[in-house]
Structure formats: structure tokens, C-alpha cells
Amino acid sequence: MKLARTGALAVAAGLAFGAEDARAYDMDCAIMLCMAGGFPSSAVCSAAYAEMIRRITPWPSRPPFGVCTYAAVPVALGGPGGSAALDISTPEYSWLRRTRVLWWRGRSYEPRDEPRQWDWSVRSCDHENQNCHYIVRVYGSHTPWPASFTSENGQNLPTPGSGGLWFFYSRAVMMEYGDYGGAMDYTDWVNY
């Protein structure tokens, strides 16, 4: 009920702004609301999911969601009023701050007069697609990269490929996110 009421407020607020502002407002809030529910099956959440993936897919790569300005919805429309953007630094939005953008890079190659080798790495960035660091980085392994790895949020995530028998190179990006209840999930890898 609360999620439906919030969605209705988002639509009502969108009508109060100009058409261009409303589209940006609606999509950023839709991404956050649908993510909070684990992206349930609906036309709105399907569009929000597709937009989130489009934003993180290079180039240029952007944060998966922007600023939801629900805080600016007038009191007359059921919002809190004010002019500020939604502050996600508060404890009730900790689930949203667990969002990570994961960048994969892997290659398989055969150096001259040596056995086949594999290199792979996973770089993790915060919900703004900034403050990145490597969580896995392996060079010159004589075994293919594993089928999965453990993320910072403790999820066992699949790697996007097996490493191939011949020269093989892959790059991909995915999102790891949590819902309002704390359950973690992830998107498919998107190769680029």
C-alpha cells in the first residue's frame, strides 16, 4: 500500500513539473522504487530496469540512477514539500547505498613457448559509479577464471564467460543491488 501511494505521488508530482523535468523525475524515482521492491514484474519497472542498464552501459557510463526529487513534491500533492532532493544518506536508505556497479575484464592467451594463461579482474564502484576499487585481480593464472566470485555484499556472482580455448577477451558490466528488505540481487552481465 505504501509503495502504491508513493508511486501515485510520483505520478502526481510529475504532472506538476514541466514535461522534460517530469520524465527525468519519474524515471529516477521509478528506478529507486522498483529497486526497493526487487524490480517486480510491471511495465513501469521493466522500463526502469532497462533505463538503469542503459545508463551503466558504456559509453559514456553514468550512475545507474539520478536524484529522485520526491522531497520537492508540494504538500498539496501529498509530498513533504521543500526544495531539496531526496537525502539517501539517512539510515532508511542504507539498502540503496549498497548498490554496486561491477566491471569485468578477462582474457585468455597463449604466450610464445608457454602454456595458456588467463587474466581477469572485477572492479567495484559505488551507487554513483565512482569510488572504484578492484575486488578481484588475477594475472598469469594457468587455470581459467572461476565460474563465480564473491562480491563486497557477500553474494556469489557468476563470471561472464569461461575463458575460451583460444585467444579470448571479454569486458562486461553488471549491477548488484538490494531491495528495501535487505535481500540482494544482481542484473545480467552486459558485454561491451
Side-chain angles (χ1 to χ4, degrees):
M1 180 70 174
K2 189 174 184 179
L3 188 60
R5 186 172 38 156
T6 305
L9 289 174
V11 171
L15 297 175
F17 298 104
E20 192 168 313
D21 291 338
R23 274 191 298 260
Y25 167 84
D26 288 341
M27 189 51 70
D28 288 325
C29 290
I31 290 170
M32 288 181 183
L33 289 171
C34 290
M35 188 183 297
F39 286 99
S41 296
S42 73
V44 171
C45 288
S46 293
Y49 182 87
E51 176 65 15
M52 180 180 73
I53 296 300
R54 187 191 67 73
R55 288 178 181 184
I56 66 167
T57 305
W59 288 109
S61 180
R62 298 182 1 218
F65 50 85
V67 176
C68 176
T69 55
Y70 172 71
V73 176
V75 174
L77 292 175
S83 59
L86 185 65
D87 180 11
I88 67 167
S89 66
T90 59
E92 60 266 17
Y93 292 103
S94 63
W95 61 272
L96 192 58
R97 292 190 307 273
R98 292 176 62 191
T99 300
R100 306 299 297 170
V101 180
L102 301 171
W103 297 88
W104 163 267
R105 186 173 298 222
R107 74 181 184 130
S108 172
Y109 57 96
E110 197 167 310
R112 178 178 275 175
D113 300 327
E114 291 185 40
R116 178 158 296 284
Q117 295 181 15
W118 288 265
D119 300 340
W120 68 89
S121 65
V122 178
R123 198 176 75 201
S124 177
C125 304
D126 66 13
H127 65 277
E128 294 176 339
N129 207 5
Q130 297 177 2
N131 303 315
C132 304
H133 62 277
Y134 286 97
I135 59 174
V136 176
R137 191 166 25 177
V138 176
Y139 295 107
S141 172
H142 291 289
T143 58
W145 53 71
S148 63
F149 65 95
T150 303
S151 72
E152 292 171 290
N153 289 318
Q155 282 197 99
N156 192 28
L157 302 176
T159 55
S162 65
L165 296 174
W166 299 277
F167 180 83
F168 183 84
Y169 182 78
S170 82
R171 296 184 310 173
V173 62
M174 80 177 321
M175 287 253 328
E176 178 185 37
Y177 59 91
D179 66 12
Y180 185 76
M184 295 301 296
D185 203 355
Y186 57 90
T187 66
D188 291 330
W189 286 103
V190 177
N191 293 312
Y192 66 98

